[in-house]
Amino acid sequence: MLWISCMLLSVIALTCFKPVQLNDDAKRLYHDLLVQNKYNKLIRPVGNNTKEPLTVKMGIRLSQIIDVDELNQVMTTNVWLRQEWRDVSLQWDPKEYGNISTIELPSKNIWLPDIVLFNNADGNYEVTLMTKATVKYTGCVVWEPPAIYKSSCTIEVEFFPFDIQLCSMRFASWTYAGDQVDLIHNCSTSTNAREVIFNGIDLRDFYESGEWDILEVTAEKNVNNNIDYPDITFNVTMRRKTLFHTVNLIIPSVAISCLTILVFYLPSDSGEKITLCISILLSLNFFFLLLSEIIPPTSIVVPLIGKYLLFTMILITLSIIVTVITLNVHFRSPSTHTMSPWVRRVFLNILPKMLLMRRPNLESEKVARTFVRTRNGVEIRDQYVSRRDFEYETMRLTAADEVEDKDTDLSVEVQEAIDSICFIAEHLKKGDNTASVREDWKYVAMVMDRLFLWIFTVACVVGTFGIILQAPTLYDNRQRLTPVASSYRCVPPVENIQGLYTASRSEHTMCFTPRQ
């Protein structure tokens, strides 16, 4: 039994000794690299070749587009900034340290290339979360910290909200010039190549935005000859998703424009035509205020929705002017205006036929007639007669009795009755004529309303389609980039890599080996 117990203790000791030994080797390696070798993080790690530039390869993995602030022209993104370089002071022989080939070191204890976002729109230019860096025994250092950047982005508002934006993030070393630190993209095949890298941003872990579709991601190296500070610019081409603005901005604007047409269909006698025009104008001003809070205040170009709202405002202003003129014509009377012959001909005869209008009462101008019983029988006569005709008829009816009653005259009471009846008849006839002329003016106003109804309908339809159809996104058939469909060609399959070390977040790469 004793020897069995000894064997069990030996197995347990051997099992526990290996992790302890590996842990001791890692501690010893950490101590030798940073303490014993007197590592100085302030000195550029190029060894004795101080004149040679240190090549730093970098790339970004876009995780999320948090916000695109059109008013302040700022794009907020969540990215992982990947940086690779070779540090000759961080090399070791794995056989001397228990076959340890990689080690994670605090980034604050080693040299960093000091890469910052140059077109930063916030107070923090550099990475705020100092994560650990993965170091390979060959001296290859890989550092991939996460960061939230706010970069300046010039917003093109010409076709808002059917717009396509191009936002850039420009990274460069803040301290070192090009002869000290040469900055290149991970996918670059040459350190001196100024090539455009398509698919230059890793989108494998990208969370899709509810407002933007990514169409293209590129990267490009730039060198300013006057300053000689190389930088890498990452470009993100985005297309706005138009559903939100279509429902909340475009459709209400088109509805307001259509209400302008209904002003001419509303009868003038209702007294609400001007009220409707003013209400439409006030609602349009509300949308102008809403638009001014969304787009940046630029005087270079008028946005597409601004053009449409301006077009609608012009229509409403013209409709108010035309409505005032129409109401002035509608309430005219013979005592204030006389209808010209050309007005009667154009608006009562020509335009109604062209506009397919038919006046329901065309017999109003004829004189009303009635049946009158006389000595000669029943006769058809005018309903209203003048005083002169009435006196003549009275004398004719009494002509047969002139011999018998030659000296007989009408009595004063009968004469006053005749005068009163003739006055009433003339007044009623004059009232009918006045009403007929007023009906003519009202019909002229109705013809004007119908004419402007067609004119404004055509203008509204043509203007709506003519302005909105200018948007380039309506004809852009490019497919959006998605995390599933995106194939980052710079990253080779893991199973095809031999002798590579395991980097942070299980990403495999080799320092300064171009990605295929």
Tab-separated table of all heavy atoms in Angstrom, residues 61 80-85 101-105 131-137 140-145 186 204 491-492 494 497 499-511 515:
chain	number	residue	atom	x	y	z
A	61	ARG	N	-10.757	47.178	-37.711
A	61	ARG	CA	-11.930	46.324	-37.818
A	61	ARG	C	-13.122	47.135	-37.330
A	61	ARG	O	-13.206	47.504	-36.163
A	61	ARG	CB	-11.763	45.060	-36.986
A	61	ARG	CG	-12.983	44.140	-37.016
A	61	ARG	CD	-12.799	42.911	-36.167
A	61	ARG	NE	-11.707	42.075	-36.672
A	61	ARG	CZ	-11.403	40.895	-36.172
A	61	ARG	NH1	-12.088	40.415	-35.141
A	61	ARG	NH2	-10.413	40.195	-36.675
A	80	TRP	N	-11.702	48.455	-33.843
A	80	TRP	CA	-10.514	47.837	-33.249
A	80	TRP	C	-9.338	48.243	-34.118
A	80	TRP	O	-9.279	47.912	-35.301
A	80	TRP	CB	-10.641	46.318	-33.207
A	80	TRP	CG	-11.763	45.825	-32.328
A	80	TRP	CD1	-12.542	46.563	-31.504
A	80	TRP	CD2	-12.207	44.476	-32.214
A	80	TRP	NE1	-13.451	45.776	-30.867
A	80	TRP	CE2	-13.278	44.480	-31.281
A	80	TRP	CE3	-11.821	43.273	-32.781
A	80	TRP	CZ2	-13.959	43.328	-30.921
A	80	TRP	CZ3	-12.495	42.114	-32.425
A	80	TRP	CH2	-13.549	42.144	-31.498
A	81	LEU	N	-8.406	48.948	-33.529
A	81	LEU	CA	-7.251	49.477	-34.253
A	81	LEU	C	-6.085	48.491	-34.129
A	81	LEU	O	-5.453	48.361	-33.078
A	81	LEU	CB	-6.861	50.848	-33.692
A	81	LEU	CG	-5.752	51.583	-34.425
A	81	LEU	CD1	-6.166	51.903	-35.851
A	81	LEU	CD2	-5.390	52.865	-33.674
A	82	ARG	N	-5.796	47.796	-35.224
A	82	ARG	CA	-4.747	46.780	-35.228
A	82	ARG	C	-3.428	47.376	-35.694
A	82	ARG	O	-3.360	48.003	-36.755
A	82	ARG	CB	-5.142	45.606	-36.129
A	82	ARG	CG	-4.125	44.463	-36.122
A	82	ARG	CD	-4.556	43.336	-37.042
A	82	ARG	NE	-3.600	42.243	-37.002
A	82	ARG	CZ	-3.593	41.267	-36.127
A	82	ARG	NH1	-4.530	41.228	-35.190
A	82	ARG	NH2	-2.688	40.301	-36.151
A	83	GLN	N	-2.354	47.164	-34.895
A	83	GLN	CA	-1.032	47.676	-35.221
A	83	GLN	C	-0.009	46.539	-35.064
A	83	GLN	O	-0.033	45.815	-34.072
A	83	GLN	CB	-0.663	48.848	-34.298
A	83	GLN	CG	-1.705	49.957	-34.295
A	83	GLN	CD	-1.431	50.987	-33.222
A	83	GLN	OE1	-0.291	51.416	-33.023
A	83	GLN	NE2	-2.483	51.395	-32.511
A	84	GLU	N	0.895	46.445	-36.027
A	84	GLU	CA	1.932	45.409	-36.019
A	84	GLU	C	3.281	46.053	-36.318
A	84	GLU	O	3.394	46.866	-37.239
A	84	GLU	CB	1.632	44.334	-37.073
A	84	GLU	CG	0.297	43.653	-36.928
A	84	GLU	CD	0.056	42.660	-38.051
A	84	GLU	OE1	1.019	42.394	-38.806
A	84	GLU	OE2	-1.076	42.167	-38.185
A	85	TRP	N	4.293	45.671	-35.551
A	85	TRP	CA	5.654	46.128	-35.809
A	85	TRP	C	6.629	45.135	-35.179
A	85	TRP	O	6.234	44.237	-34.421
A	85	TRP	CB	5.878	47.538	-35.264
A	85	TRP	CG	5.831	47.654	-33.772
A	85	TRP	CD1	6.897	47.576	-32.908
A	85	TRP	CD2	4.670	47.860	-32.956
A	85	TRP	NE1	6.482	47.715	-31.613
A	85	TRP	CE2	5.112	47.893	-31.614
A	85	TRP	CE3	3.315	48.000	-33.219
A	85	TRP	CZ2	4.238	48.088	-30.558
A	85	TRP	CZ3	2.445	48.196	-32.171
A	85	TRP	CH2	2.910	48.220	-30.859
A	101	SER	N	6.431	30.726	-26.916
A	101	SER	CA	6.633	31.457	-28.174
A	101	SER	C	5.944	32.810	-28.189
A	101	SER	O	6.312	33.691	-28.964
A	101	SER	CB	6.134	30.628	-29.365
A	101	SER	OG	4.750	30.327	-29.212
A	102	THR	N	4.935	32.998	-27.374
A	102	THR	CA	4.229	34.285	-27.309
A	102	THR	C	3.980	34.654	-25.861
A	102	THR	O	3.868	33.784	-24.981
A	102	THR	CB	2.879	34.216	-28.035
A	102	THR	OG1	2.059	33.201	-27.439
A	102	THR	CG2	3.059	33.921	-29.521
A	103	ILE	N	3.869	35.939	-25.650
A	103	ILE	CA	3.589	36.447	-24.321
A	103	ILE	C	2.796	37.744	-24.453
A	103	ILE	O	2.986	38.507	-25.423
A	103	ILE	CB	4.892	36.681	-23.520
A	103	ILE	CG1	4.563	37.042	-22.060
A	103	ILE	CG2	5.741	37.754	-24.167
A	103	ILE	CD1	5.789	37.130	-21.162
A	104	GLU	N	1.891	37.971	-23.507
A	104	GLU	CA	1.101	39.203	-23.498
A	104	GLU	C	1.719	40.172	-22.503
A	104	GLU	O	1.873	39.863	-21.315
A	104	GLU	CB	-0.355	38.918	-23.096
A	104	GLU	CG	-1.200	38.307	-24.196
A	104	GLU	CD	-0.864	36.861	-24.483
A	104	GLU	OE1	-0.364	36.202	-23.543
A	104	GLU	OE2	-1.081	36.398	-25.620
A	105	LEU	N	2.094	41.338	-23.001
A	105	LEU	CA	2.720	42.373	-22.182
A	105	LEU	C	1.825	43.597	-22.106
A	105	LEU	O	1.124	43.920	-23.081
A	105	LEU	CB	4.075	42.778	-22.771
A	105	LEU	CG	5.136	41.681	-22.880
A	105	LEU	CD1	6.409	42.234	-23.506
A	105	LEU	CD2	5.433	41.089	-21.503
A	131	THR	N	-4.996	48.127	-23.734
A	131	THR	CA	-5.036	46.677	-23.599
A	131	THR	C	-3.635	46.083	-23.744
A	131	THR	O	-2.680	46.779	-24.112
A	131	THR	CB	-5.963	46.075	-24.673
A	131	THR	OG1	-5.468	46.437	-25.970
A	131	THR	CG2	-7.381	46.600	-24.514
A	132	LYS	N	-3.521	44.796	-23.474
A	132	LYS	CA	-2.221	44.127	-23.585
A	132	LYS	C	-1.859	43.873	-25.045
A	132	LYS	O	-2.736	43.706	-25.896
A	132	LYS	CB	-2.235	42.803	-22.815
A	132	LYS	CG	-2.292	42.978	-21.303
A	132	LYS	CD	-2.189	41.644	-20.601
A	132	LYS	CE	-2.178	41.832	-19.081
A	132	LYS	NZ	-2.039	40.556	-18.357
A	133	ALA	N	-0.590	43.853	-25.297
A	133	ALA	CA	-0.070	43.564	-26.632
A	133	ALA	C	0.490	42.150	-26.657
A	133	ALA	O	1.084	41.672	-25.683
A	133	ALA	CB	1.009	44.571	-27.021
A	134	THR	N	0.300	41.471	-27.777
A	134	THR	CA	0.816	40.113	-27.964
A	134	THR	C	2.177	40.185	-28.650
A	134	THR	O	2.313	40.793	-29.714
A	134	THR	CB	-0.150	39.285	-28.813
A	134	THR	OG1	-1.427	39.260	-28.161
A	134	THR	CG2	0.358	37.872	-28.985
A	135	VAL	N	3.190	39.581	-28.018
A	135	VAL	CA	4.564	39.642	-28.521
A	135	VAL	C	5.009	38.223	-28.872
A	135	VAL	O	4.858	37.296	-28.075
A	135	VAL	CB	5.519	40.262	-27.482
A	135	VAL	CG1	6.925	40.380	-28.052
A	135	VAL	CG2	5.003	41.625	-27.037
A	136	LYS	N	5.579	38.063	-30.067
A	136	LYS	CA	6.105	36.781	-30.516
A	136	LYS	C	7.614	36.747	-30.248
A	136	LYS	O	8.259	37.788	-30.105
A	136	LYS	CB	5.802	36.593	-32.007
A	136	LYS	CG	6.095	35.207	-32.555
A	136	LYS	CD	5.675	35.124	-34.007
A	136	LYS	CE	6.108	33.802	-34.627
A	136	LYS	NZ	5.529	32.649	-33.950
A	137	TYR	N	8.173	35.539	-30.163
A	137	TYR	CA	9.592	35.411	-29.809
A	137	TYR	C	10.498	36.063	-30.850
A	137	TYR	O	11.651	36.380	-30.565
A	137	TYR	CB	9.949	33.927	-29.646
A	137	TYR	CG	9.946	33.128	-30.927
A	137	TYR	CD1	11.126	32.939	-31.650
A	137	TYR	CD2	8.764	32.568	-31.409
A	137	TYR	CE1	11.115	32.216	-32.830
A	137	TYR	CE2	8.756	31.854	-32.573
A	137	TYR	CZ	9.929	31.667	-33.290
A	137	TYR	OH	9.932	30.960	-34.454
A	140	CYS	N	7.973	40.259	-33.020
A	140	CYS	CA	6.764	40.785	-33.652
A	140	CYS	C	5.747	41.157	-32.579
A	140	CYS	O	5.395	40.335	-31.729
A	140	CYS	CB	6.181	39.758	-34.605
A	140	CYS	SG	4.629	40.279	-35.335
A	141	VAL	N	5.271	42.397	-32.617
A	141	VAL	CA	4.317	42.917	-31.637
A	141	VAL	C	3.009	43.210	-32.357
A	141	VAL	O	3.003	43.879	-33.400
A	141	VAL	CB	4.850	44.193	-30.949
A	141	VAL	CG1	3.851	44.689	-29.908
A	141	VAL	CG2	6.209	43.935	-30.317
A	142	VAL	N	1.933	42.695	-31.799
A	142	VAL	CA	0.584	42.952	-32.326
A	142	VAL	C	-0.242	43.560	-31.214
A	142	VAL	O	-0.384	42.967	-30.139
A	142	VAL	CB	-0.084	41.654	-32.844
A	142	VAL	CG1	-1.501	41.947	-33.327
A	142	VAL	CG2	0.742	41.048	-33.961
A	143	TRP	N	-0.763	44.748	-31.501
A	143	TRP	CA	-1.585	45.463	-30.499
A	143	TRP	C	-2.897	45.862	-31.168
A	143	TRP	O	-2.903	46.568	-32.179
A	143	TRP	CB	-0.838	46.674	-29.976
A	143	TRP	CG	-1.566	47.392	-28.865
A	143	TRP	CD1	-2.238	46.820	-27.835
A	143	TRP	CD2	-1.673	48.810	-28.693
A	143	TRP	NE1	-2.759	47.784	-27.004
A	143	TRP	CE2	-2.424	49.010	-27.512
A	143	TRP	CE3	-1.201	49.900	-29.402
A	143	TRP	CZ2	-2.726	50.288	-27.048
A	143	TRP	CZ3	-1.488	51.171	-28.928
A	143	TRP	CH2	-2.243	51.374	-27.762
A	144	GLU	N	-4.021	45.397	-30.625
A	144	GLU	CA	-5.330	45.654	-31.228
A	144	GLU	C	-6.292	46.161	-30.155
A	144	GLU	O	-7.153	45.425	-29.667
A	144	GLU	CB	-5.875	44.389	-31.894
A	144	GLU	CG	-7.092	44.649	-32.762
A	144	GLU	CD	-7.504	43.410	-33.524
A	144	GLU	OE1	-6.935	42.326	-33.264
A	144	GLU	OE2	-8.404	43.521	-34.363
A	145	PRO	N	-6.179	47.435	-29.783
A	145	PRO	CA	-7.077	47.978	-28.758
A	145	PRO	C	-8.413	48.413	-29.373
A	145	PRO	O	-8.462	48.866	-30.527
A	145	PRO	CB	-6.293	49.171	-28.225
A	145	PRO	CG	-5.518	49.646	-29.407
A	145	PRO	CD	-5.173	48.420	-30.212
A	186	ASN	N	-2.163	46.832	-43.721
A	186	ASN	CA	-1.925	45.398	-43.567
A	186	ASN	C	-1.903	44.660	-44.898
A	186	ASN	O	-1.223	43.652	-45.046
A	186	ASN	CB	-3.019	44.785	-42.676
A	186	ASN	CG	-2.797	45.118	-41.215
A	186	ASN	OD1	-1.685	45.470	-40.814
A	186	ASN	ND2	-3.845	45.038	-40.423
A	204	ARG	N	-15.980	41.778	-40.481
A	204	ARG	CA	-16.465	40.480	-40.031
A	204	ARG	C	-17.296	40.569	-38.761
A	204	ARG	O	-18.199	39.774	-38.549
A	204	ARG	CB	-15.284	39.529	-39.828
A	204	ARG	CG	-14.647	39.056	-41.116
A	204	ARG	CD	-13.427	38.219	-40.837
A	204	ARG	NE	-12.401	38.970	-40.116
A	204	ARG	CZ	-11.279	38.442	-39.654
A	204	ARG	NH1	-11.056	37.155	-39.832
A	204	ARG	NH2	-10.383	39.190	-39.039
A	491	VAL	N	-7.309	38.394	-44.702
A	491	VAL	CA	-7.166	37.409	-43.637
A	491	VAL	C	-7.204	36.021	-44.253
A	491	VAL	O	-8.237	35.610	-44.783
A	491	VAL	CB	-8.279	37.561	-42.589
A	491	VAL	CG1	-8.139	36.523	-41.498
A	491	VAL	CG2	-8.245	38.958	-42.010
A	492	PRO	N	-6.140	35.237	-44.229
A	492	PRO	CA	-6.153	33.878	-44.785
A	492	PRO	C	-6.858	32.932	-43.833
A	492	PRO	O	-6.985	33.191	-42.651
A	492	PRO	CB	-4.668	33.540	-44.912
A	492	PRO	CG	-4.016	34.365	-43.858
A	492	PRO	CD	-4.806	35.625	-43.728
A	494	VAL	N	-7.456	29.992	-41.248
A	494	VAL	CA	-6.588	29.598	-40.140
A	494	VAL	C	-5.901	28.276	-40.432
A	494	VAL	O	-4.731	28.083	-40.122
A	494	VAL	CB	-7.424	29.507	-38.843
A	494	VAL	CG1	-6.550	29.031	-37.690
A	494	VAL	CG2	-8.039	30.854	-38.516
A	497	ILE	N	-2.505	28.322	-42.345
A	497	ILE	CA	-1.355	29.033	-41.790
A	497	ILE	C	-0.517	28.056	-40.985
A	497	ILE	O	-1.026	27.362	-40.105
A	497	ILE	CB	-1.808	30.205	-40.897
A	497	ILE	CG1	-2.659	31.173	-41.725
A	497	ILE	CG2	-0.628	30.924	-40.307
A	497	ILE	CD1	-3.184	32.331	-40.918
A	499	GLY	N	2.821	27.593	-38.552
A	499	GLY	CA	3.842	28.255	-37.747
A	499	GLY	C	3.471	29.654	-37.319
A	499	GLY	O	4.353	30.465	-37.077
A	500	LEU	N	2.162	29.960	-37.272
A	500	LEU	CA	1.755	31.293	-36.839
A	500	LEU	C	1.391	31.243	-35.368
A	500	LEU	O	1.024	30.209	-34.823
A	500	LEU	CB	0.572	31.783	-37.673
A	500	LEU	CG	0.812	31.865	-39.198
A	500	LEU	CD1	-0.404	32.461	-39.860
A	500	LEU	CD2	2.048	32.701	-39.486
A	501	TYR	N	1.466	32.360	-34.748
A	501	TYR	CA	1.140	32.415	-33.331
A	501	TYR	C	-0.306	32.841	-33.172
A	501	TYR	O	-0.936	33.380	-34.066
A	501	TYR	CB	2.069	33.397	-32.613
A	501	TYR	CG	1.839	34.825	-33.019
A	501	TYR	CD1	1.001	35.659	-32.292
A	501	TYR	CD2	2.466	35.345	-34.159
A	501	TYR	CE1	0.784	36.951	-32.691
A	501	TYR	CE2	2.253	36.647	-34.539
A	501	TYR	CZ	1.403	37.449	-33.810
A	501	TYR	OH	1.179	38.742	-34.173
A	502	THR	N	-0.833	32.589	-32.011
A	502	THR	CA	-2.221	32.941	-31.717
A	502	THR	C	-2.257	34.359	-31.163
A	502	THR	O	-1.702	34.633	-30.102
A	502	THR	CB	-2.813	31.970	-30.679
A	502	THR	OG1	-2.711	30.655	-31.204
A	502	THR	CG2	-4.268	32.309	-30.392
A	503	ALA	N	-2.942	35.230	-31.927
A	503	ALA	CA	-3.041	36.627	-31.514
A	503	ALA	C	-4.290	36.811	-30.672
A	503	ALA	O	-5.037	35.881	-30.410
A	503	ALA	CB	-3.067	37.538	-32.740
A	504	SER	N	-4.505	38.054	-30.265
A	504	SER	CA	-5.672	38.355	-29.450
A	504	SER	C	-6.929	38.129	-30.267
A	504	SER	O	-6.974	38.340	-31.457
A	504	SER	CB	-5.623	39.811	-28.987
A	504	SER	OG	-5.606	40.679	-30.109
A	505	ARG	N	-7.981	37.672	-29.581
A	505	ARG	CA	-9.269	37.385	-30.174
A	505	ARG	C	-9.158	36.333	-31.271
A	505	ARG	O	-9.868	36.363	-32.273
A	505	ARG	CB	-9.916	38.634	-30.731
A	505	ARG	CG	-10.273	39.593	-29.574
A	505	ARG	CD	-10.972	40.769	-30.095
A	505	ARG	NE	-11.381	41.793	-29.204
A	505	ARG	CZ	-11.193	41.939	-27.918
A	505	ARG	NH1	-10.586	41.058	-27.279
A	505	ARG	NH2	-11.619	42.934	-27.222
A	506	SER	N	-8.237	35.374	-31.112
A	506	SER	CA	-8.083	34.213	-32.007
A	506	SER	C	-7.832	34.621	-33.440
A	506	SER	O	-8.267	33.962	-34.374
A	506	SER	CB	-9.334	33.320	-31.938
A	506	SER	OG	-9.523	32.862	-30.639
A	507	GLU	N	-7.145	35.729	-33.670
A	507	GLU	CA	-6.818	36.139	-35.029
A	507	GLU	C	-5.385	35.716	-35.311
A	507	GLU	O	-4.491	35.908	-34.506
A	507	GLU	CB	-6.956	37.651	-35.199
A	507	GLU	CG	-6.500	38.105	-36.560
A	507	GLU	CD	-7.212	39.363	-36.962
A	507	GLU	OE1	-8.057	39.793	-36.211
A	507	GLU	OE2	-6.882	39.884	-38.024
A	508	HIS	N	-5.141	35.136	-36.503
A	508	HIS	CA	-3.848	34.605	-36.871
A	508	HIS	C	-3.255	35.463	-37.967
A	508	HIS	O	-3.894	35.785	-38.942
A	508	HIS	CB	-3.982	33.159	-37.354
A	508	HIS	CG	-4.550	32.258	-36.299
A	508	HIS	ND1	-3.791	31.459	-35.516
A	508	HIS	CD2	-5.828	32.072	-35.900
A	508	HIS	CE1	-4.567	30.776	-34.693
A	508	HIS	NE2	-5.807	31.151	-34.907
A	509	THR	N	-2.016	35.798	-37.799
A	509	THR	CA	-1.307	36.583	-38.811
A	509	THR	C	0.180	36.419	-38.580
A	509	THR	O	0.607	35.918	-37.558
A	509	THR	CB	-1.702	38.066	-38.763
A	509	THR	OG1	-1.063	38.727	-39.847
A	509	THR	CG2	-1.268	38.709	-37.468
A	510	MET	N	0.945	36.868	-39.532
A	510	MET	CA	2.395	36.855	-39.401
A	510	MET	C	2.885	38.268	-39.638
A	510	MET	O	2.441	38.932	-40.563
A	510	MET	CB	3.029	35.897	-40.405
A	510	MET	CG	4.555	35.877	-40.349
A	510	MET	SD	5.257	34.644	-41.446
A	510	MET	CE	4.925	33.180	-40.509
A	511	CYS	N	3.807	38.719	-38.776
A	511	CYS	CA	4.280	40.091	-38.896
A	511	CYS	C	4.891	40.320	-40.258
A	511	CYS	O	5.740	39.546	-40.707
A	511	CYS	CB	5.307	40.387	-37.799
A	511	CYS	SG	4.532	40.697	-36.202
A	515	ARG	N	-1.150	40.025	-46.388
A	515	ARG	CA	-2.344	39.189	-46.332
A	515	ARG	C	-2.887	38.995	-47.738
A	515	ARG	O	-2.904	39.908	-48.543
A	515	ARG	CB	-3.414	39.844	-45.451
A	515	ARG	CG	-2.963	39.964	-44.003
A	515	ARG	CD	-4.096	40.483	-43.157
A	515	ARG	NE	-3.721	40.542	-41.765
A	515	ARG	CZ	-4.552	40.843	-40.781
A	515	ARG	NH1	-5.797	41.116	-41.060
A	515	ARG	NH2	-4.147	40.895	-39.549
